[in-house]
Amino acid sequence: MTRSPVLPSAPLPPPGDAERPIVTVDIVLLTILDGRLQAGLTQREREPAAGAWTLPGGWVHTDEDQDADDAAVRILRDKAGLESPYLEQLRTFSGKHRDSRGWSLSIAYYAMVPGHICERDNLRFRWAPIDAARSLPFDHAEILRTAVERVRSKTLYSSLPVHLMPETFTLSQLQLTYEHLLEMALDKRSFRRRIEELNVIEEIDGAFTTGAGHRPAQLYRRRPHAARLATSSSNLPVA
């Protein structure tokens, strides 16, 4: 049997000669305010797109960040003034046309924060309903759309929305949060059965809502293991 000749591999470029891509981390920060799913935006100070509102993002600091997760936590703290109880890597976006400064890649994340701890609007940070955040520079509109699709998909079968809740909440409030995310009504009885199956919240003994004219409702809180996102194999039923 005649063997094909082994062709020599192309030599590696000398150190420093290879073109290095721009590496950043961008974060889709989500919450529910005024009954609507909203994304946190920051205003760029420098070109390109100086003055434009974009997703919170920044360079990876190789002398400071142990990994991309570290960079995401730092950027959220610096750009949005908060830490998220839930932060997950979304995917990597890359290409030579996404940034005018050169070939770049962004390790994108999405984060969930309860409305009561959200940084309020200031000169460099604001919240915008996702439907009003379609015209973003770079490919941030695509990153936002991908994150919202991921969140809505997970909401159908997981406990993800509990990370949008305050420290204590009622089952009705939790169901309303699911409905805001999905933009659809859910069957009350089936929803409560599913939440019980997920086992991510617990009753607070002796804690009830108060208010004239309304029957007191049991208050709940997240279980410590809720961040592991216990899931079920089937979707939530709609009304």
Side-chain angles (χ1 to χ4, degrees), residues 175 179 185-193 237-239:
Q175 179 172 339
E179 292 175 340
L186 299 173
D187 177 76
K188 180 178 179 179
R189 185 174 300 176
S190 299
F191 172 81
R192 296 193 174 198
R193 182 170 63 248
V238 298

Side-chain angles (χ1 to χ4, degrees), residues 74-101:
R74 172 181 54 79
I75 289 167
L76 264 184
R77 183 180 61 247
D78 294 347
K79 297 291 182 71
L82 52 79
E83 294 184 8
S84 171
Y86 186 84
L87 179 68
E88 181 180 354
Q89 193 171 126
L90 179 62
R91 53 166 276 203
T92 297
F93 295 79
S94 63
K96 64 180 181 179
H97 299 300
R98 61 182 304 273
D99 192 312
S100 62
R101 293 168 292 185

Side-chain angles (χ1 to χ4, degrees), residues 114-168:
H116 74 283
I117 69 168
C118 288
E119 173 77 9
R120 295 301 167 177
D121 295 0
N122 57 50
L123 292 177
R124 294 293 181 184
F125 180 89
R126 67 182 176 93
W127 292 97
I130 57 170
D131 292 337
R134 301 300 188 187
S135 300
L136 299 175
F138 311 110
D139 55 356
H140 285 195
E142 180 186 359
I143 297 175
L144 174 61
R145 182 173 62 253
T146 303
V148 171
E149 290 174 354
R150 172 77 63 85
V151 167
R152 285 179 170 158
S153 174
K154 278 197 167 186
T155 296
L156 282 169
Y157 64 83
S158 79
S159 61
L160 184 62
V162 300
H163 300 289
L164 293 171
M165 305 305 296
E167 291 184 7
T168 64

Side-chain angles (χ1 to χ4, degrees), residues 34-84:
D34 303 321
R36 303 174 71 183
L37 182 61
Q38 305 205 25
L41 302 177
T42 58
Q43 190 172 37
R44 286 186 59 82
E45 298 181 9
R46 303 180 182 88
E47 295 292 352
W53 291 91
T54 66
L55 300 176
W59 302 88
V60 173
H61 293 176
T62 56
D63 60 339
E64 178 184 352
D65 303 323
Q66 295 297 315
D67 51 29
D69 291 357
D70 269 4
V73 171
R74 172 181 54 79
I75 289 167
L76 264 184
R77 183 180 61 247
D78 294 347
K79 297 291 182 71
L82 52 79
E83 294 184 8
S84 171

